[in-house]
Amino acid sequence: MAVISIERMGLLSVFFVCLFFSSAFAVDRGNFKTCDQSAFCKRQRAFKPGQSPYRALLETLELSDSRLTLQLINDNNKVHLLLELYRLQGNMTRVKINELKPLKPRFEVPDVLIAEPPTEPLSVLSKDDNGVVLSLGAESQRLIVSARPFRLDIMEGPEVLLSLNSRGLLAFEHLRLRKDTQAQPEGAEVKESVDGDQQQDEGKKDEDEESNKEEDGLWEETFKSHTDTKPNGPTSISLDFSLPGVEHVYGIPEHADDLKLKTTDGGDPYRLYNLDVFQYELYNPMALYGSIPVMLAHNTQRTMGIFWLNAAETWVDISSNTAGKTVFGKMLDFVQGSSEKPQTDVRWISESGIIDVFIMLGPKPSDVFSQYASLTGTQSFPPLASLGYHQCRWNYNDQEDVKSVDQGFDQHDIPYDFIWLDIEHADGKRYFTWDPHKFSQPKEMLQGLMDKKRKMVAIVDPHIKVDSGYKIHNEITSKDFYVKNKDGGNYEGWCWPGNSGYPDFTNPEMRAWWASMFAYDQYEGSMENLFTWNDMNEPSVFNGPEVTMHKDALHGKWEHRDIHNMYGLYVQMATAEGQIQRSGGAERPFVLTRAFFAGSQRFGAVWTGDNAAEWDHLKISIPMCLSLGLVGVSFCGADVGGFFKNPSTELLVRWYQTGAYQPFFRAHAHLDTTRREPWLFGPENTALIREAVRQRYALLPYWYQLFFQAYRTGMPVMRPLWVDYPKDTATFTIDDEFLIGSDLLVHPVTEEGSRGVTAYLPGAGEVWYDVHTFQKHNGAQNLYIPVTLSSIPVFQRGGSIIPRKDRVRRSSACMENDPYTLYVALSPKKFAEGKLYIDDGHSFNYDTKKEFIHRSLTFANNALTSSNLCPDCNFLTSSWIEKVLILGASKPSKVVLKMNGKETPVDFEFDSSMSVLTLRKPGMNAGDDWTLLLQ
Amino acid sequence: MTCLHLLLTLVFAVSLGTPVEIQRPRGVPLTKKQFYEESKPFTCLDGSRTIPFDRVNDDYCDCKDGSDEPGTAACPNGSFHCTNAGYRPMFIPSSRINDGICDCCDTTDEYNSGAKCENTCKELGRKEREVLQKMAEITKEGFLLKQQLIEEAKKGQQEKQSKVTDMQENKKQLDEKVEALRTVKETAEQPEKEAKERHLKAWEEQKAAIRLEKDKAKMAETFLELDDNEDGFVSVSELQSHAELDPDADGTLTEIEAQGLMGGAEQVDTSTFESVWPKIKDKYHSEVSREEADISLCLCVVQAQPTIKTPEKTHEDEEAMPPYDADTQALIDAAQKARDDFEEAEKALREMDDQIRNIEKELSFDFGPDAEFTYLYSQCYELTTSEYIYRLCPFNRVSQKPKYGGSETNLGTWGSWSGPENNKYLLMKYEQGTGCWQGPNRSTTVKLTCGKETVVTSTSEPSRCEYLMEFTTPAVCQEPANIDPSPHDHVEL
């Protein structure tokens, strides 16, 4: 919610007019830096591929059980770097490069890795003056360190999987003393200008070569009236990666762009710098609210990943050519024969910190997901209700409004689980408080929702109103928890409440205190059905450079520059922790965040920020969430309907239909838009929206099971087709349709006035069933599907079993004890399998007490069997199996239920036109062992 | 799991206090009882199929229309009937059966969910009756008031109508009068014009004679001035002393030039000077100063006479036009009176037109089927909230003004009645108010409800810049039906 209403902001409006409103409905690009305007990016990008000045000093090699260290030297300036290599469990390699002796420590990202990654022994296979060959264990994988120039190659058999510094773009700006400041006392006013230049010139003789060329922006940089004092001078780092045989790379969200990353030659690199971008534009590499520095590379043979663990401003260049094969060592000579191979080259550039890269070697997509999950953790397992439908608006005006919207859902028989309150609910944007007039009885309101088994989310942003009458501000001040400005005072900036402080979420004590504020006795008016939304946590600073915090602000001893991209992660981390603590650790939290970083998946859901009510924004929601899913964040969604502007009725309906099949399903709207609750567009459209939401609710058991799987394994819930069909090149660029788990394929209608869509059904020899008609279609074809306004093209994979709860009620909690219907879609070989997961839906007991049911459902040899996947788990459910639909079946003469040694006949019906066999009311408990035999 | 009672015994308390037992499947209204006969197979109410009766309410959906499961949640499109004895019966979607939330006040929807529901029908019925009674009273009184309003409006309307008729009659007369006076005026103006022209002409002639006289005198005077040596001749050299007479404007009057002015002669006497004079009189500067005051004085006199055309340029030698003679003045006075009379009549006519238009505009408003909303016209009603004062001027505009200073914002001007088709007079729409930043023009919907008083009861802004105002007025009170104070208790019996 980045937009500001001038009318409401009074004093602030002067700022905003110049900051935001120079164009009507598009991002003001002038507010955000291009690579050329970001001094380090410009500097680094000026280096062209060629001979690297870096050389490995093989004589310094030290090999311990878990790591290899080696010094590198830059022959131009004689600065020594320390290279560390680790072979990690699970087919990963970690490469760290830091200064051997930095003037002071450089920032290394904490709290993102869930643990120090466990290592496996490295062994030297051979070593000579030119390099070292190390064994990476299994599958004849080797790591080759070439000495002159320095480069790394990871090989499997004769194949080079990936090379580092093969284009010679390793550049590590070492910490240095500023020549012109040496005579100056600490903290004195220094002007970077003529004086400095003169001194530089005078001291030229003993300068090393690198800093001889005086460049702008080394020690100070100005962008649009904001000056970044750079007390540490230039600190940027850069490294290139070559991926032979790779034509498709994905990931590095968040960008409003296609799923397959584009080459950046001739344009700006993809930028990773968490920013509050007002009215963002589509199909470009500009930075958005979150950053996950993880890239996936895929071809028909292998999937790999590169995780660049750095929280500073980062730019990623991608090119696709055959350059960089010039300086192969003699051990690699044989590779040169395959010079016609396609290749993707990538260069990462960050402003500060160290080089710390994890190479995830796959080889399967699922391997990369579990490798990345082993480093940064998996998607948190959300409360079941949060997978339902969320109704949001900036803002529901008052308690009456909340009540009438709640009643509207019942009157129109549309299910929903959460209603949301945006910033206007708080008393003057003082989070953790309630507007005394509009929301004077929050508990009464929450109780009203609880009576209907529904929940609420209220926003809590990280900017804190500077107001001596505000408890939160006073406590943060007295505990000295605010971020500091470069001069050591509390950093202050403008945001919703006016002048605001920003708590230092990098400080664990601050986070612990913040978490304690969610206790029921601290957060007045809160109840157990109140959850939280963290917005503006990039952090957004209306009058800051690029609408964010000054890079020279201080978080303890680190500059904001070092930690910027993980500020938002910390906000959500502390908030989620608060929600866990308020229940004594019993209940799962639900926290939505706008800003994120690698590891944010552990703390809740993410949405794609302030989109617009435009068809292209509906389309882009698919690749944006797919990209997030590939790098760990499964719980992703876009504002249904579009945040800015008013959607046409058709767009709104189509967005509900699309959103119903995306992980986080929330409608949201800007303050200035007209009301758009689902029943405001006439009975036909209300019915269409109702149907879309109902389809979502019927499938909640499947969604829940997939999130359990994501939590356990890191497999994305919403996936690109290539994840499940990695050898089918036709799937590699598809981002207008997607898979939910492996078993549902969705091709939403995202074109205005569409009369049909063409969906690609993957899988040669496989079949897909239209979930609405049960019509069977062959895989490996482009299928044209005529559509009407009610159509949501969705297909179930032949070979899968999906449990549904077809008795849709007004909220997910109301459906807790309802029976299941099993949709068994047979493969051409008359086989199918699926899973069923059941727990209480909201507590940690599944984890702490193993209170859950996890069952495998298998159809083979004309028998459908439920077997226990977790025999030592215990959970009792009153849900039962009311119906089984077997798609692609033939007519049996008899159906028998075998359970507890007894056999009972089961009624059935057979629809020969669609080959659908319906078993009527077999009636067994969903947690039992049973077999249904078709005879 | 699904141990359900097929049949439910319903016990009713009728007004006599005698319990009556009626057996029918759970969730079936009495009106449909006939379709659910235990002894026969059940045919889905849409006729789509017939099933054994033991499949009715067996918690499995067999009928597409949901009719086999009136008492369970098995069918997605089913509905459940609660009798709600003491209150009003209702249908709820069958998805609300046993969902743990009490929907029916008689608790019958939660028979197997463990939800602890209390039977609140009596209480609800009592409250509803109270509310209905209160509403009935309000409606009754409101309706009486409405009758008065209609009366008054009709009277007012008639008055206005007849006033308009009268006025139109008067207007006709006025029209005639204006026309008559126009003729009078035009008739009087013709002789006036002629007399004035005559007078002017005589004066012009007189002025010309005087001017000639003056010119001659000036010429003689000039001759004497120029004739420095007083020899009775003006010589070339004497003329040369007046450099302003230089014909080529080079600043000097040469001898040749002077001679040229004198027609080639060396000197001229008074009679030949007559031919020189026209060449020099415009440029000649007298050596004697003149009395300007006289001239300006005479200018004042000239301008003070409005009926005389002011000369575009007054000449030094001009004198005031002599006053009109008595005959002319009489004609002028007569014409002026005719003009005044005409203008006065015309003004009266215009005013009359305005009045008629205003009344006709008022009469043209749709003040409801019985003109019951007429009394709201040209009135304003205010509501003060914590921040603003809202002002509704029906059929005109809605506005909002900050309570503590600040300018007024137009929330919309009268657009139209916009209630539902069956009664459009329940909503008023005011549109095209002040524009919103990045948004639409403000607009307001006014919702009218029956009340004894005419007041704005609440305002809200459900959507940005779209306001909703609640307004009570007797004008929407419906004729009270003969309402039963306990309407639904025994409907089923």
Side-chain angles (χ1 to χ4, degrees), chain B residues 49 98 127 180 204 211 219 233 236 264 356 393 396 401:
Chain B
R49 67 190 291 192
N98 291 329
K127 275 188 189 157
E204 290 292 344
R211 230 177 281 148
M219 182 178 70
F233 291 96
V236 167
I356 292 172
C393 304
N396 184 7
K401 200 176 168 166

Side-chain angles (χ1 to χ4, degrees), chain A residues 3-8 21 23-25 278-279 393 395 397 401 409-414 437-438 451-453 644 670-675 694 806-811 813-814 818-819 878 880 882-883 907 909 918-921 923-925, chain B residues 1-2 4 49 51 54-62 68-69 72-78 92-103 109-110 112-113 115 386-387 435-440 442 459-467:
Chain A
V3 73
I4 296 119
S5 155
I6 284 191
E7 286 152 81
R8 307 222 157 182
F21 300 133
S23 67
F25 252 109
F278 179 74
Q279 290 172 344
R393 173 176 181 83
N395 212 98
N397 296 333
D401 199 2
F409 277 93
D410 287 343
Q411 273 159 22
H412 298 92
D413 201 18
I414 300 171
H437 303 294
K438 299 169 187 163
D451 291 345
K452 296 234 191 110
K453 302 193 179 184
F644 292 112
H670 187 276
L671 186 70
D672 288 327
T673 59
T674 46
R675 292 292 282 247
R694 281 178 165 226
D806 282 336
R807 302 183 180 188
V808 173
R809 303 196 190 240
R810 66 183 129 197
S811 70
C814 292
D818 280 339
S878 45
W880 47 289
E882 67 169 325
K883 196 195 278 193
D907 282 333
E909 280 173 45
T918 304
L919 310 188
R920 186 188 189 279
K921 208 182 175 190
M924 52 283 189
N925 184 282
Chain B
M1 128 209 99
T2 52
L4 303 171
R49 67 190 291 192
I51 54 172
D54 63 6
R55 292 194 172 182
V56 171
N57 275 346
D58 72 337
D59 207 16
Y60 184 90
C61 191
D62 293 285
D68 64 316
E69 297 294 318
T72 79
C75 294
N77 53 347
I92 59 169
S94 56
S95 66
R96 294 183 193 168
I97 299 168
N98 291 329
D99 66 349
I101 299 164
C102 311
D103 291 285
D109 60 317
E110 296 299 316
N112 197 26
S113 70
S386 56
E387 282 178 84
C436 268
W437 177 80
Q438 267 211 353
R442 287 172 176 79
T459 61
S460 57
E461 190 183 353
S463 218
R464 187 107 168 100
C465 302
E466 291 178 15
Y467 295 81

Side-chain angles (χ1 to χ4, degrees), chain A residues 588-603:
Chain A
R588 287 175 236 169
F590 173 72
V591 182
L592 177 74
T593 183
R594 192 171 70 183
F596 51 82
F597 188 64
S600 285
Q601 70 270 16
R602 306 199 298 271
F603 310 113

Side-chain angles (χ1 to χ4, degrees), chain A residues 40-278:
Chain A
F40 77 92
C41 185
K42 185 181 181 184
R43 223 158 47 227
Q44 288 279 8
R45 223 187 181 198
F47 289 118
K48 298 297 173 199
Q51 181 83 18
S52 174
Y54 288 94
R55 181 159 54 87
L57 302 174
L58 295 179
E59 65 278 14
T60 63
L61 185 146
E62 284 178 36
L63 182 65
S64 73
D65 218 26
S66 63
R67 73 167 186 172
L68 176 147
T69 61
L70 186 65
Q71 288 180 26
L72 307 178
I73 185 168
N74 180 336
D75 279 327
N76 290 339
N77 60 15
K78 307 299 177 208
V79 172
H80 285 246
L81 302 178
L82 181 69
L83 167 75
E84 294 173 72
L85 293 173
Y86 300 84
R87 179 185 158 207
L88 301 183
Q89 281 179 20
N91 204 14
M92 289 181 283
T93 300
R94 181 181 193 177
V95 180
K96 276 176 91 168
I97 302 176
N98 197 352
E99 291 180 54
L100 181 64
K101 287 177 183 162
L103 278 179
K104 57 179 179 177
R106 295 178 68 115
F107 183 71
E108 297 189 37
V109 174
D111 300 313
V112 166
L113 300 179
I114 48 174
E116 198 51 39
T119 57
E120 290 193 274
L122 273 169
S123 57
V124 174
L125 291 177
S126 68
K127 182 183 168 187
D128 61 21
D129 290 349
N130 296 313
V132 185
V133 180
L134 301 159
S135 166
L136 288 176
E139 296 178 46
S140 65
Q141 279 183 1
R142 282 166 296 154
L143 174 62
I144 297 161
V145 183
S146 304
R148 183 188 288 269
F150 163 69
R151 79 177 255 170
L152 291 175
D153 293 278
I154 296 174
M155 304 193 57
E156 185 173 288
E159 299 282 316
V160 177
L161 302 181
L162 177 142
S163 309
L164 281 72
N165 201 31
S166 50
R167 291 192 296 153
L169 293 168
L170 168 63
F172 204 108
E173 291 181 334
H174 61 283
L175 292 168
R176 65 202 73 184
L177 291 174
R178 186 178 186 176
K179 304 294 184 207
D180 62 331
T181 57
Q182 281 172 336
Q184 305 265 3
E186 267 289 307
E189 196 67 37
V190 179
K191 281 196 174 170
E192 170 82 16
S193 61
V194 191
D195 284 12
D197 290 345
Q198 279 170 355
Q199 271 194 318
Q200 289 275 359
D201 290 342
E202 282 160 19
K204 210 168 191 173
K205 284 164 205 162
D206 49 287
E207 285 281 359
D208 58 43
E209 197 190 318
E210 198 175 305
S211 44
N212 265 347
K213 299 170 277 173
E214 173 61 16
E215 288 178 71
D216 284 339
L218 286 179
W219 295 91
E220 187 177 272
E221 172 172 1
T222 297
F223 178 69
K224 297 196 79 174
S225 85
H226 295 285
T227 297
D228 175 13
T229 67
K230 296 179 167 181
N232 296 322
T235 56
S236 73
I237 53 170
S238 165
L239 181 60
D240 67 274
F241 300 81
S242 292
L243 296 154
V246 169
E247 286 178 284
H248 294 85
V249 287
Y250 308 94
I252 54 169
E254 181 177 14
H255 300 99
D257 209 345
D258 294 332
L259 174 66
K260 176 191 184 306
L261 297 172
K262 296 163 182 158
T263 62
T264 57
D265 305 324
D268 255 9
Y270 283 96
R271 188 182 189 202
L272 294 172
Y273 191 57
N274 295 359
L275 292 174
D276 180 0
V277 181
F278 179 74

Side-chain angles (χ1 to χ4, degrees), chain B residues 88-280:
Chain B
R88 57 171 80 186
M90 64 177 185
F91 286 96
I92 59 169
S94 56
S95 66
R96 294 183 193 168
I97 299 168
N98 291 329
D99 66 349
I101 299 164
C102 311
D103 291 285
C104 297
C105 63
D106 65 3
T107 77
T108 51
D109 60 317
E110 296 299 316
Y111 57 86
N112 197 26
S113 70
K116 291 194 180 81
C117 300
E118 272 178 52
N119 189 321
T120 55
C121 291
K122 262 191 182 164
E123 182 60 16
L124 283 171
R126 192 182 60 77
K127 275 188 189 157
E128 189 188 46
R129 279 190 297 279
E130 273 177 24
V131 170
L132 284 175
Q133 205 150 9
K134 214 170 175 185
M135 275 295 300
E137 276 163 30
I138 290 172
T139 309
K140 201 172 148 194
E141 284 182 53
F143 188 71
L144 282 178
L145 286 170
K146 181 182 177 180
Q147 298 313 305
Q148 288 175 24
L149 291 174
I150 291 170
E151 247 352 85
E152 280 165 27
K154 281 199 175 137
K155 224 189 281 168
Q157 216 169 0
Q158 277 165 8
E159 275 169 21
K160 274 169 197 145
Q161 199 66 62
S162 66
K163 199 173 167 193
V164 168
T165 318
D166 287 354
M167 283 165 88
Q168 261 154 353
E169 191 54 42
N170 287 341
K171 193 192 148 200
K172 225 180 261 170
Q173 291 171 10
L174 250 181
D175 268 334
E176 283 164 16
K177 189 177 165 192
V178 166
E179 281 318 302
L181 285 173
R182 190 195 304 279
T183 316
V184 170
K185 180 183 84 127
E186 282 164 4
T187 318
E189 277 173 340
Q190 192 53 37
E192 179 203 28
K193 194 179 159 205
E194 286 165 10
K196 272 161 116 183
E197 276 168 6
R198 269 196 311 277
H199 181 81
L200 193 65
K201 201 177 163 199
W203 184 55
E204 290 292 344
E205 284 164 6
Q206 197 186 338
K207 265 199 300 186
I210 292 169
R211 230 177 281 148
L212 194 66
E213 203 80 353
K214 276 193 174 174
D215 192 50
K216 273 189 179 154
K218 201 172 168 196
M219 182 178 70
E221 202 180 309
T222 304
F223 187 87
L224 291 177
E225 273 179 32
L226 285 172
D227 184 11
D228 288 336
N229 57 3
E230 297 178 20
D231 62 350
F233 291 96
V234 171
S235 66
V236 167
S237 59
E238 281 167 346
L239 198 61
Q240 271 182 291
S241 67
H242 280 261
E244 76 267 17
L245 299 177
D246 174 26
D248 62 4
D250 64 355
T252 46
L253 183 61
T254 61
E255 201 180 317
I256 297 168
E257 283 171 341
Q259 218 163 6
L261 287 174
M262 305 232 296
E266 279 300 314
Q267 55 177 27
V268 289
D269 63 4
T270 47
S271 68
T272 40
F273 187 69
E274 273 179 45
S275 67
V276 177
W277 173 239
K279 295 179 200 161
I280 64 167

Side-chain angles (χ1 to χ4, degrees), chain A residues 514-539:
Chain A
W514 178 268
S516 74
M517 288 298 100
F518 288 87
Y520 296 119
D521 58 350
Q522 292 292 325
Y523 189 166
E524 277 176 43
S526 68
M527 284 174 50
E528 60 267 35
N529 64 338
L530 179 67
F531 297 83
T532 311
W533 170 17
N534 292 147
D535 196 0
M536 316 296 280
N537 52 340
E538 294 75 24

